[in-house]
């Protein structure tokens, strides 16, 4: 039996249909804060299905496919990876189909008017850092795609579940026992994966944008002490556009938006291994903002 869910993330709407048991179990859990915001909307940006194929692979070593408007852009994955497949597929939809905003491969968090963009390549620890800051009281904008509106310079929140990988799953669960996570999904292309449910603070302001104030490029270095260094504006600009999904598509609007961001923001690089040091630094950004 198929179930259909509707999700609204402030700026776009998703309809997901699936009969896969793990999807029916975990999607309502992960998206419960967003589910009641919209019911059968008149316009839907992404109509997605996650389903088993009609072939024998439906029963023998079962697989699932991701469909966008009936088109399957990816190869099928093992059935037990249906929930991560939906999350990765939705990221692909946003990055490849939704060019109203400039997209950065970055996390984003906000607290008390301080809005931090965290651009970084895969493996840098940005999702783990964003999840930890969310549990520490910051509002999550994204752990993967940070969207900025060219006309206003506002960062647009899409505070969806955080994709955690491998050692970070148990680490964050131990540090934040109040955090709500799915089961672990094994043998994915990214290793072991689990998804963290957005906090109530993140969900309650799902449509509230913010002007970025800081651009901080994070890097997890095992055993290191916190090292924060000022970053020159040209280097910050290159880091931003080097981690953009659609800068080349937006052309002049993308260039102007990135330039404005860098001009307005304080820019740093950050190496870390201990969250208590990171929290102290980020809380100091808020205190500095209030003091200013």
């Amino acid at each position: 039996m198929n179930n259909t869910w509707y999700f609204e993330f402030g700026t776009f709407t998703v309809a997901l249909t699936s009969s896969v048991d793990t999807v029916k179990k975990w999607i309502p859990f992960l998206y419960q804060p967003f589910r009641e915001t919209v019911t059968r909307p008149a316009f839907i940006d992404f109509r997605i299905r996650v389903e088993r194929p009609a072939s024998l692979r439906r029963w023998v070593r079962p697989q699932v496919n991701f469909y966008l408007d009936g088109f399957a852009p990816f190869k099928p994955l093992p059935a037990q990876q249906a929930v991560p497949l939906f999350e990765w597929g939705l990221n692909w939809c946003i990055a490849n189909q939704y060019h109203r905003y400039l997209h950065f491969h970055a996390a984003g968090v906000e607290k008390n008017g301080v809005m931090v963009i965290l651009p970084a390549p895969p493996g840098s620890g940005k999702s783990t850092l964003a999840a930890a800051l969310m549990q520490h009281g910051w509002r999550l904008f994204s752990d993967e795609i940070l969207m900025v509106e060219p006309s206003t310079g506002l960062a647009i929140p899409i505070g969806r579940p955080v994709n955690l990988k491998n050692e970070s799953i148990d680490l964050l669960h131990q540090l934040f026992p109040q955090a709500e996570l799915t089961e672990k999904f094994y043998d994915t292309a990214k290793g072991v994966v689990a998804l963290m449910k957005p906090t109530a603070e993140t969900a309650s302001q799902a449509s509230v944008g913010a002007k970025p104030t800081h651009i901080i490029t994070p890097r997890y270095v095992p055993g290191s002490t916190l090292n924060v260094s000022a970053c020159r504006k040209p280097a910050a600009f290159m880091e931003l556009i080097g981690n953009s999904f659609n800068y080349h598509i937006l052309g002049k609007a993308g260039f102007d938006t990135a330039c404005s961001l860098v001009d307005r923001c304080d820019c740093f690089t950050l190496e870390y291994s201990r969250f208590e040091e990171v929290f102290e630094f980020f809380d100091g950004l808020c205190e500095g903002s209030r003091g200013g």
Side-chain angles (χ1 to χ4, degrees):
M1 175 179 171
N2 283 331
N3 285 31
T4 299
W5 302 269
Y6 302 98
F7 311 115
E8 187 176 37
F9 299 99
T11 186
F12 61 83
T13 305
V14 176
L16 168 64
T17 299
S18 182
S19 64
V20 179
D21 288 342
T22 54
V23 173
K24 292 196 286 187
K25 175 182 179 180
W26 289 114
I27 290 301
F29 165 80
L30 289 169
Y31 285 90
Q32 178 272 330
F34 305 101
R35 284 186 64 199
E36 295 183 356
T37 60
V38 63
T39 303
R40 298 186 182 277
F43 182 83
I44 296 171
D45 292 281
F46 305 121
R47 293 183 180 272
I48 295 169
R49 286 191 303 117
V50 176
E51 286 295 352
R52 300 177 182 88
S55 66
L56 285 175
R57 294 306 295 269
R58 183 180 182 90
W59 311 108
V60 180
R61 297 175 62 189
Q63 294 180 324
V64 287
N65 275 313
F66 177 99
Y67 300 94
L68 173 65
D69 292 329
F71 168 67
F74 318 116
K75 293 180 179 179
L77 291 181
Q80 66 268 25
Q81 297 178 21
V83 175
L85 176 60
F86 167 68
E87 290 296 318
W88 299 333
L90 183 51
N91 284 339
W92 179 88
C93 291
I94 297 168
N96 287 275
Q97 306 289 323
Y98 202 79
H99 299 303
R100 176 180 173 184
Y101 304 110
L102 180 61
H103 303 159
F104 299 108
H105 188 207
V109 293
E110 183 274 336
K111 187 176 183 180
N112 297 334
V114 175
M115 198 275 140
V116 182
I117 298 177
L118 300 162
S124 60
K126 71 180 183 306
S127 291
T128 304
L129 178 57
L133 287 166
M134 179 176 69
Q135 295 299 329
H136 186 62
W138 288 69
R139 175 165 65 112
L140 179 71
F141 269 56
S142 177
D143 77 308
E144 185 70 18
I145 302 174
L146 195 284
M147 305 193 308
V148 177
E149 186 174 37
S151 61
T152 64
L154 282 174
I156 306 299
I158 45 172
R160 294 166 42 225
V162 181
N163 193 320
L164 299 175
K165 300 180 285 294
N166 303 313
E167 293 84 359
S168 65
I169 301 169
D170 291 336
L171 173 63
L172 288 177
H173 201 221
Q174 291 167 7
L175 289 173
F176 305 103
Q178 79 278 11
E180 298 182 89
L181 281 76
T182 65
E183 66 186 82
K184 294 178 180 178
F185 304 100
Y186 293 90
D187 300 321
T188 79
K190 299 183 179 183
V192 183
V193 169
L195 294 151
M196 180 183 286
K197 184 177 181 178
T199 59
E201 171 70 13
T202 291
S204 67
Q205 300 188 65
S207 61
V208 181
K211 280 284 183 77
T213 58
H214 296 74
I215 299 169
I216 300 176
T217 304
R219 181 167 169 255
Y220 177 78
V221 180
S224 68
T225 57
L226 186 72
N227 182 10
V228 180
S229 302
C231 181
R232 296 178 64 238
K233 300 281 187 175
F237 176 83
M238 296 305 295
E239 184 72 27
L240 269 184
I241 66 171
N243 283 290
S244 174
F245 294 110
N246 64 346
Y247 174 80
H248 62 293
I249 294 173
L250 268 62
K252 183 178 184 298
F255 175 79
D256 291 343
T257 303
C259 285
S260 178
L261 275 174
V262 171
D263 286 342
R264 186 173 65 245
C265 291
D266 294 330
C267 304
F268 300 95
T269 60
L270 180 148
E271 292 184 355
Y272 75 98
S273 66
R274 293 192 284 270
F275 287 121
E276 59 269 22
E277 294 179 336
V278 172
F279 295 158
E280 183 178 358
F281 170 73
F282 273 78
D283 289 345
L285 296 180
C286 293
E287 291 170 5
S289 175
R290 288 195 295 267

